[in-house]
Every structure is written in structure tokens, then in C-alpha cells.
């Protein structure tokens, strides 16, 4: 309840000064590594610490916030749906991963765009 109250007050103040609030579906953003290495393992002793599949250790909340930002930009760049699922090029599965959008997807798409420009 406190978090929703703080969030509501923050949104209201931002709108008062002329900002536009965009909501992002946050589910799963803390459980997938921002670097695209896969799902995270959370430490039982320190739940805020996440271990990536490649062995890197990182703050789970910071990882989640980077993935939330990536979902926002992927939606704005028309790379994903609002809920964070990737847009599929066809109805058949196979060409695109079903992994939710993470920050590394934006890096790959940016590199592909830069390589295709004259």
C-alpha cells in the first residue's frame, strides 16, 4: 500500500510539471539477466543479489530497472508489445526467442540497424 501511494504521488507531481507517465509491465524483469545470458539465480542469504548464468553477480533491483527501461524503449521502437513480449515476424515459432525483452535486445537491434545503414 505504501509503494502504491508513493508511486501515485510521484506520478501526480510529474504530470503537474508537464511530464507524461508511461506504464510498463514489470513482471519477470528481475528474473532475466539484462545482458541476455538467461534466467537469474537469487541468493537465499541476500535476496537482492542475483547471479547470472555466466557467473556474474549483480544487484537484482538494478537489473530489473534496466529491463523495465528496455521494455519501454522496445515498445517505443516497435520491437515488442507493451507487455514485453517480442514481436514475431510470422506466426510460426522458431526465428525469434520467446525470452522476454531485456536490455541486450536493444544493443543487438541497435548494432543491426547501424550495420544496415549506408
Amino acid at each position: 500500500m505504501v509503494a502504491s501511494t508513493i508511486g501515485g504521488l510521484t506520478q501526480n507531481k510529474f504530470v503537474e510539471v508537464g511530464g507524461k507517465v508511461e506504464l510498463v509491465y514489470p513482471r519477470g524483469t528481475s528474473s532475466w539477466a539484462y545482458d541476455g545470458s538467461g534466467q537469474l539465480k537469487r541468493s537465499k542469504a541476500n535476496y537482492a543479489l542475483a547471479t547470472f548464468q555466466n557467473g556474474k553477480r549483480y544487484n537484482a533491483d538494478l537489473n530489473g530497472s534496466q529491463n523495465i527501461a528496455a521494455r519501454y524503449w522496445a515498445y517505443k521502437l516497435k520491437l515488442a508489445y507493451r507487455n514485453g513480449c517480442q514481436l514475431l515476424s510470422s506466426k510460426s515459432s522458431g526465428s525469434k526467442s520467446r525470452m522476454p525483452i531485456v536490455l541486450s535486445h536493444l544493443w543487438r537491434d541497435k548494432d543491426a540497424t547501424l550495420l544496415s545503414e549506408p
Side-chain angles (χ1 to χ4, degrees):
M1 179 163 158
V2 173
S4 65
T5 303
I6 292 172
L9 290 172
T10 305
Q11 286 179 12
N12 291 340
K13 288 292 182 186
F14 188 60
V15 170
E16 280 179 20
V17 297
K20 182 179 176 191
V21 176
E22 292 276 347
L23 300 178
V24 176
Y25 185 64
R27 184 175 183 176
T29 54
S30 293
S31 60
W32 290 88
Y34 75 89
D35 66 356
S37 62
Q39 283 196 296
L40 302 176
K41 291 187 178 153
R42 303 286 285 266
S43 169
K44 294 204 186 308
N46 182 3
Y47 198 67
L49 186 63
T51 304
F52 293 15
Q53 287 187 358
N54 59 10
K56 185 176 5 178
R57 295 165 66 107
Y58 207 69
N59 181 291
D61 291 334
L62 185 55
N63 173 69
S65 66
Q66 289 172 331
N67 286 337
I68 287 172
R71 280 191 184 178
Y72 168 78
W73 284 111
Y75 175 71
K76 286 297 181 185
L77 296 170
K78 299 189 179 4
L79 302 172
Y81 296 108
R82 185 170 285 283
N83 67 357
C85 294
Q86 295 183 43
L87 294 174
L88 298 175
S89 56
S90 66
K91 290 192 177 191
S92 65
S93 61
S95 64
K96 289 216 178 189
S97 167
R98 301 264 182 194
M99 185 172 130
I101 292 289
V102 295
L103 186 58
S104 68
H105 288 104
L106 295 181
W107 295 333
R108 283 193 298 252
D109 284 330
K110 176 190 72 84
D111 292 340
T113 303
L114 290 176
L115 291 174
S116 66
E117 291 179 359

